[in-house]
Amino acid sequence: MILKLAVLFLLLRRSSVALQEDDLGFTYNGFQGVNMSLDGLAQITNNGLLELVNATKQQKGHAFYPHMLHFMNSSTGSVYSFSTTFVFAMFSKLTAVGGPGMAFIIAPSRDFTDALPGSYLGLFNATNRGKSSNHVIAVELDCIKNMEFDDINGNHVGIDINDLKSIESTPASYFSDQENRQVNLTLFGGHAMQVWVEYSGSQRQLNVTLAPFDAPKPTIPLLSLNIDLSPIAVDPMFVGFSSASHAFDVNHYVLGWSFKMNGKAKELTLSQLPKLPRLGPKRKSRIYSIGIPVIGVTLLLVLVFIIHLIMKREKKFAEVVEDWELDYRPHRFKYKDLYIATKGFKDAELLGTGGFGKVYRGVLPTSKTEVAVKRVSYNSRQGEREFVAEIVSIGKLRNRNIVPLLGYCRRKGELLLVYDFMPNGSLDKFLFDQTTTEMKLNWNQRFRIIRSVAAALLYLHEEWEKVVVHRDVKSSNVLLDKELNGKLGDFGLARLYDHGTDPQTTHMVGTLGYLAPELFKTGKANPSVDVFAFGAFLLEVACGRKPIEPQASEECAVLVDWVISYWAKGRILLTVDPKLGMDYDVQEMELVLKLGLLCSHSIPTVRPHMRQVVRYLEGEVPLSELTLVFLSAMNNLCLVS
């Protein structure tokens, strides 16, 4: 019986202790005679202020309630509700710069020996910040903008979990119920302010409220974050404050502190709080107290502004130049020159926009040469060296029917290709933009352009030192000089390989309507795919229609199928561009239409080589012979169908 009573007594006593711990609270209206666990610069002054750091530079200070607290509800596994409020003041001798601030913290240990001062607030270092094993919950009052931690400004309040990158932060301010508006505050001005940190275990919500020393607690919190602290907290933990000094003379004080577990922290008696020391030297004349600081700060800001402009300018024109590019320097343009040439890539200099980038007109600052600059996004580093090597190799192409690629510039995942400027723009504008009468092309001009593009492709496929596959032959990539001569341009997608070898499988790129059907199976870009696209281009020029018109009826949507249907009816000339009227050479038109269908044949082996195409267009082979070849190709198409 005695044993049972003893066990019951111990259980009741343990329950009573647990209840006391669960509902623990303390209130310090000043710290005179208070038992606090202090380290670093932290000390209690003679009048009862808790001073975390003083003017000693690059140091840190910590102050903790000396006993560990049980934050975890063992029966539910969740964190108890808790509430705390404290009054603080931070002073910086540089009135425009606050330096690092301070933080209220909940941590499993008081040992922050390895933590760094300065921007790290005496909480973490470069190796342990961000680790879930820290189990640190903090509310930071930060007075410096640190880019490393993505700080929003140099005067903010943030909620930190295991890291100094706040998961929620906002500029220091408070909601004035009297004025019904948000009022800004300066954390480092040396004025006392009060903070309330409240966590609801049932709602899993953490609220942080800030207000001036003599203002009532605002009804609207400054920060309100829905967060479950159970995965972060361990049991038991310490509560306290951490602060750190930097290169500036700073003083951080806590005037009073109240804490309550499972309830609302008791309000501080503000009249009993210790007085802050007089901050700064004795009052001097206005020229010393106002003039010199203003001049100094102004000079500092001007210096910072100048440095910022210099750094911004350097960053703006920064380029990526690697050792392997040294061989290509004669072909490489400076980004700064291209930026100046295009007036900062302004929309006013925009010549056109395609699927692979925008093209701008520019005038090179030194030579005053007119150029066209195409910006191509190129984010993948795989094969980048080979890609640039091919671009430079293609830049060696020299043919009067090809727009010269003058060089390139590589910068921040972007490739800029520089071409000769063609004053009359691209052919597609003349074919499809009929807003002015000057934009019309007669048949003789169109036929001359067709022959120029054919000669350009023959040069690329057979006459240069390597086989070049353009991969994007279309009217928008045919540019016109001031005499309306056609030149094949835009080699941003081109690929090249040695004569007598097979092309490697590559990513399928190009424009819908010009893509050869075998590309969808093999992905190999060989000259035959350019021939297919050239066939679509021939029909485009002759018929004045795009290869695919999604808004047209089903029988008219695909240009090749539409022309074949008219050929089958023996009325192929009815597909001629109505804008030409009857002003064209019938034999030349029939040649172009049949050659377009032949080149666009779905069977690659049926398509002619570009040398054959040029012979047809130059009249070296009679139309009757082309007609026989064409009829045979159409029969093959019917058999396949």
Side-chain angles (χ1 to χ4, degrees):
M1 183 65 180
I2 295 175
L3 180 61
K4 289 182 179 179
L5 288 173
V7 171
L8 180 61
F9 174 77
L10 288 173
L11 289 174
L12 288 173
R13 187 172 184 274
R14 180 176 298 177
S15 176
S16 174
V17 171
L19 182 61
Q20 291 173 10
E21 287 183 339
D22 292 347
D23 296 333
L24 181 142
F26 55 84
T27 301
Y28 302 138
N29 289 301
F31 295 88
Q32 191 73 49
V34 174
N35 179 24
M36 295 287 289
S37 176
L38 307 175
D39 69 36
L41 296 178
Q43 61 175 333
I44 296 174
T45 65
N46 293 332
N47 69 332
L49 285 171
L50 173 57
E51 184 179 57
L52 296 174
V53 292
N54 52 35
T56 306
K57 299 175 182 178
Q58 295 292 355
Q59 296 294 326
K60 54 194 176 183
H62 301 95
F64 290 95
Y65 180 70
H67 308 295
M68 300 190 81
L69 304 179
H70 291 279
F71 279 81
M72 302 297 294
N73 186 332
S74 57
S75 60
T76 63
S78 61
V79 171
Y80 287 123
S81 297
F82 63 85
S83 170
T84 189
T85 182
F86 58 92
V87 174
F88 75 97
M90 292 191 289
F91 170 72
S92 170
K93 288 188 177 180
L94 291 178
T95 57
V97 183
M102 56 178 285
F104 167 76
I105 59 173
I106 303 173
S109 171
R110 293 177 298 190
D111 183 8
F112 287 87
T113 306
D114 295 330
L116 295 177
S119 300
Y120 284 84
L121 300 182
L123 289 176
F124 306 108
N125 57 43
T127 58
N128 69 0
R129 52 165 287 235
K131 292 187 176 181
S132 59
S133 58
N134 292 329
H135 299 289
V136 172
I137 303 162
V139 174
E140 68 173 42
L141 305 161
D142 201 358
C143 309
I144 192 168
K145 181 177 182 179
N146 193 307
M147 304 304 293
E148 180 183 2
F149 306 135
D150 298 336
D151 287 344
I152 56 174
N153 64 15
N155 183 53
H156 63 272
V157 180
I159 298 173
D160 301 345
I161 303 295
N162 297 324
D163 198 350
L164 287 165
K165 279 189 177 181
S166 301
I167 60 174
E168 191 81 16
S169 65
T170 190
S173 63
Y174 76 103
F175 182 80
S176 172
D177 294 284
Q178 184 178 2
E179 301 178 35
N180 195 31
R181 67 183 182 91
Q182 203 75 17
V183 180
N184 292 329
L185 293 173
T186 301
L187 294 174
F188 53 87
H191 303 292
M193 301 181 197
Q194 189 164 1
V195 175
W196 293 263
V197 180
E198 299 158 309
Y199 178 72
S200 171
S202 59
Q203 297 179 359
R204 292 177 172 81
Q205 181 168 309
L206 182 63
N207 290 338
V208 179
T209 309
L210 178 67
F213 171 75
D214 54 355
K217 180 184 177 184
T219 56
I220 300 177
L222 178 61
L223 287 171
S224 186
L225 177 66
N226 290 322
I227 183 171
D228 183 4
L229 295 181
S230 302
I232 299 113
V234 294
D235 211 32
M237 300 182 81
F238 289 99
V239 293
F241 301 94
S242 177
S243 184
S245 59
H246 202 266
F248 315 122
D249 289 343
V250 295
N251 295 81
H252 297 167
Y253 301 98
V254 179
L255 289 74
W257 181 22
S258 179
F259 183 91
K260 178 69 173 177
M261 189 75 73
N262 268 336
K264 182 180 178 183
K266 185 178 178 180
E267 291 294 331
L268 295 169
T269 306
L270 301 184
S271 61
Q272 297 180 5
L273 299 183
K275 302 297 182 181
L276 287 168
R278 182 169 52 84
L279 302 175
K282 292 182 179 180
R283 183 177 181 84
K284 298 181 180 180
S285 65
R286 295 177 66 86
I287 190 169
Y288 288 101
S289 61
I290 298 177
I292 292 178
V294 169
I295 293 172
V297 171
T298 302
L299 290 175
L300 177 63
L301 291 176
V302 170
L303 180 61
V304 170
F305 180 72
I306 292 173
I307 294 173
H308 173 72
L309 285 181
I310 294 173
M311 293 179 64
K312 186 176 180 181
R313 183 176 179 84
E314 291 296 324
K315 184 178 180 181
K316 185 176 185 178
F317 297 119
E319 300 179 31
V320 180
V321 182
E322 298 182 21
D323 292 341
W324 56 265
E325 289 185 88
L326 297 178
D327 294 338
Y328 306 137
R329 278 199 176 274
H331 304 277
R332 176 160 183 147
F333 285 83
K334 291 182 178 180
Y335 177 77
K336 181 178 179 180
D337 289 343
L338 299 183
Y339 186 89
I340 295 172
T342 58
K343 300 178 182 178
F345 297 100
K346 286 189 176 179
D347 289 342
E349 304 302 317
L350 185 65
L351 296 174
T353 302
F356 299 93
K358 294 182 177 180
V359 182
Y360 297 84
R361 176 190 173 276
V363 178
L364 295 177
T366 304
S367 64
K368 304 302 178 184
T369 304
E370 279 192 299
V371 293
V373 182
K374 181 166 186 177
R375 305 179 77 176
V376 182
S377 295
Y378 190 71
N379 295 320
S380 173
R381 291 189 62 83
Q382 184 178 1
E384 186 174 8
R385 184 180 304 193
E386 291 78 9
F387 185 76
V388 172
E390 290 188 1
I391 289 295
V392 173
S393 296
I394 291 169
K396 299 176 183 178
L397 294 171
R398 290 295 178 265
N399 185 277
R400 64 188 182 89
N401 299 307
I402 289 175
V403 179
L405 176 61
L406 304 178
Y408 78 100
C409 174
R410 191 167 63 91
R411 178 181 181 269
K412 294 183 180 179
E414 186 177 56
L415 198 65
L416 292 90
L417 305 178
V418 185
Y419 297 90
D420 262 354
F421 177 70
M422 295 289 111
N424 277 311
S426 56
L427 174 60
D428 63 322
K429 294 179 181 178
F430 286 81
L431 294 176
F432 307 119
D433 185 357
Q434 299 302 316
T435 55
T436 61
T437 55
E438 290 81 5
M439 298 294 281
K440 292 182 180 179
L441 287 174
N442 60 41
W443 174 248
N444 288 335
Q445 291 169 325
R446 297 191 194 197
F447 192 63
R448 187 175 69 221
I449 292 169
I450 287 172
R451 287 188 297 177
S452 296
V453 176
L457 287 174
L458 174 61
Y459 173 77
L460 296 177
H461 292 177
E462 300 182 25
E463 296 178 350
W464 195 52
E465 61 187 40
K466 292 191 177 222
V467 178
V468 180
V469 183
H470 188 280
R471 298 203 301 170
D472 204 19
V473 179
K474 56 183 178 181
S475 61
S476 60
N477 285 338
V478 174
L479 304 177
L480 306 180
D481 62 16
K482 59 183 179 180
E483 284 85 24
L484 295 176
N485 296 309
K487 295 178 184 290
L488 184 60
D490 198 343
F491 287 81
L493 299 178
R495 288 294 177 266
L496 67 164
Y497 57 93
D498 293 328
H499 287 282
T501 62
D502 290 330
Q504 298 296 313
T505 301
T506 184
H507 294 294
M508 187 181 67
V509 293
T511 305
L512 193 62
Y514 301 89
L515 293 173
E518 66 269 17
L519 275 175
F520 294 90
K521 296 180 180 179
T522 66
K524 288 187 176 182
N526 54 37
S528 182
V529 304
D530 278 353
V531 175
F532 182 93
F534 180 73
F537 166 75
L538 289 177
L539 298 180
E540 191 177 12
V541 175
C543 303
R545 288 185 50 180
K546 296 179 180 179
I548 294 181
E549 294 186 354
Q551 297 179 348
S553 59
E554 185 176 350
E555 61 273 11
C556 300
V558 181
L559 179 58
V560 173
D561 295 343
W562 181 68
V563 175
I564 288 176
S565 68
Y566 273 87
W567 166 78
K569 300 173 187 176
R571 307 173 70 184
I572 194 171
L573 292 179
L574 291 181
T575 64
V576 174
D577 187 350
K579 294 186 289 296
L580 291 173
M582 298 302 296
D583 188 16
Y584 60 86
D585 184 287
V586 174
Q587 281 197 333
E588 288 178 351
M589 182 62 75
E590 187 177 346
L591 168 69
V592 169
L593 290 170
K594 289 181 178 179
L595 193 56
L597 292 176
L598 183 61
C599 291
S600 298
H601 202 284
S602 59
I603 303 174
T605 55
V606 175
R607 299 171 204 154
H609 297 291
M610 286 311 301
R611 188 170 296 279
Q612 295 172 280
V613 171
V614 170
R615 292 186 66 208
Y616 287 134
L617 291 172
E618 296 297 333
E620 297 177 14
V621 180
L623 178 60
S624 57
E625 183 176 323
L626 171 62
T627 301
L628 291 176
V629 175
F630 173 73
L631 289 173
S632 174
M634 291 300 104
N635 288 333
N636 284 337
L637 184 62
C638 293
L639 289 174
V640 172
S641 301

